[in-house]
Amino acid sequence: MRQQRPQGQWFTSETGQRWWFDPGALSLDFAYTGAMPPQPESWSTPVDLGAWLAERFEEVDAAVTERDLTDARALRSALAAAFLRRSLGEEPEPDDVDVINLFAATPDIPPALAGGRRQAGRTRARPSQALSTLAREAIVRLDDEHRARIRACEADDCGYVFYDESRSANRRWCSMQRCGNRAKVRKHRALKQSAA
């Protein structure tokens, strides 16, 4: 079984409030680094991508090239488009599917059992292997069996897309810190007004 990768990131709202967003899937977290609206571009240089990968894939070499950055942006764009379409109940575009499948077809980060005396393969995984791992995870999340778990936040003024990984499959908000709390406050105020 693969190790659990950390996912989620801090966002800043239009009003300056910082809030934590865990989209429920590492591949969707990847898409929110600049391809999913309204989040701005997170990677100006290969170093930025290397830092993002190093936070989530401890076995990946953070020395990222311009080519790696170009590839990551292409995959990120295809993932964002596919997740957005699934959240609307639509099929992903064939070109986006082709890009995701292409990255998934390359070698990913192999699992390794700790405690051996010999090194098998490279000591550090390449950034392209992390991209393959992200594409493979997205394929599982985007398939027909899991598509109903890809949703948009129910707040009228939000629309952030997430993968509902809750056991009961009843997640409604992008974040309780942000939209969940605002919805509860609005409901409470409405109840107070109707009581008055």
Side-chain angles (χ1 to χ4, degrees), residues 58-136:
E58 64 182 35
E59 62 275 78
V60 170
D61 184 349
V64 175
T65 66
E66 284 290 339
R67 173 62 190 259
D68 294 326
L69 180 60
T70 300
D71 287 349
R73 285 179 172 157
L75 175 60
R76 182 181 68 179
S77 178
L79 291 174
F83 276 112
L84 282 170
R85 289 186 66 86
R86 278 289 200 225
S87 75
L88 298 170
E90 301 171 1
E91 294 297 318
E93 292 289 338
D95 288 345
D96 295 324
V97 170
D98 287 343
V99 170
I100 295 167
N101 286 341
L102 175 66
F103 279 94
T106 62
D108 67 346
I109 299 172
L113 183 62
R117 291 182 291 231
R118 296 184 184 186
Q119 174 64 42
R122 291 174 53 105
T123 57
R124 303 291 288 162
R126 293 182 300 277
S128 62
Q129 289 175 276
L131 298 181
S132 177
T133 299
L134 290 164
R136 290 175 186 211

Side-chain angles (χ1 to χ4, degrees), residues 5-195:
R5 309 270 184 205
Q7 63 193 27
Q9 49 195 307
W10 287 100
F11 287 157
T12 304
S13 71
E14 314 77 44
T15 60
Q17 176 195 16
R18 279 181 45 89
W19 58 285
W20 180 257
F21 178 54
D22 179 354
L26 186 59
S27 52
L28 194 49
D29 190 30
F30 179 74
Y32 269 105
T33 60
M36 295 286 279
Q39 290 308 309
E41 176 62 61
S42 297
W43 309 327
S44 301
T45 67
V47 172
D48 298 330
L49 171 60
W52 191 92
L53 291 174
E55 285 179 4
R56 287 151 180 90
F57 298 92
E58 64 182 35
E59 62 275 78
V60 170
D61 184 349
V64 175
T65 66
E66 284 290 339
R67 173 62 190 259
D68 294 326
L69 180 60
T70 300
D71 287 349
R73 285 179 172 157
L75 175 60
R76 182 181 68 179
S77 178
L79 291 174
F83 276 112
L84 282 170
R85 289 186 66 86
R86 278 289 200 225
S87 75
L88 298 170
E90 301 171 1
E91 294 297 318
E93 292 289 338
D95 288 345
D96 295 324
V97 170
D98 287 343
V99 170
I100 295 167
N101 286 341
L102 175 66
F103 279 94
T106 62
D108 67 346
I109 299 172
L113 183 62
R117 291 182 291 231
R118 296 184 184 186
Q119 174 64 42
R122 291 174 53 105
T123 57
R124 303 291 288 162
R126 293 182 300 277
S128 62
Q129 289 175 276
L131 298 181
S132 177
T133 299
L134 290 164
R136 290 175 186 211
E137 187 223 49
I139 288 171
V140 172
R141 300 292 188 258
L142 291 163
D143 72 9
D144 287 341
E145 182 182 343
H146 297 98
R147 70 186 304 163
R149 288 182 173 261
I150 300 170
R151 303 192 183 111
C153 180
E154 291 184 13
D156 293 335
D157 57 346
C158 182
Y160 277 87
V161 174
F162 57 86
Y163 177 82
D164 183 359
E165 59 184 344
S166 69
R167 207 176 271 235
S168 56
N170 64 353
R171 181 175 170 185
R172 300 173 58 195
W173 318 110
C174 61
S175 168
M176 281 307 295
Q177 286 178 291
R178 184 173 183 255
C179 293
N181 281 342
R182 289 190 304 190
K184 286 182 177 187
V185 167
R186 280 193 287 263
K187 184 178 179 180
H188 178 71
R189 286 179 182 159
L191 286 172
K192 282 180 76 173
Q193 283 180 347
S194 65

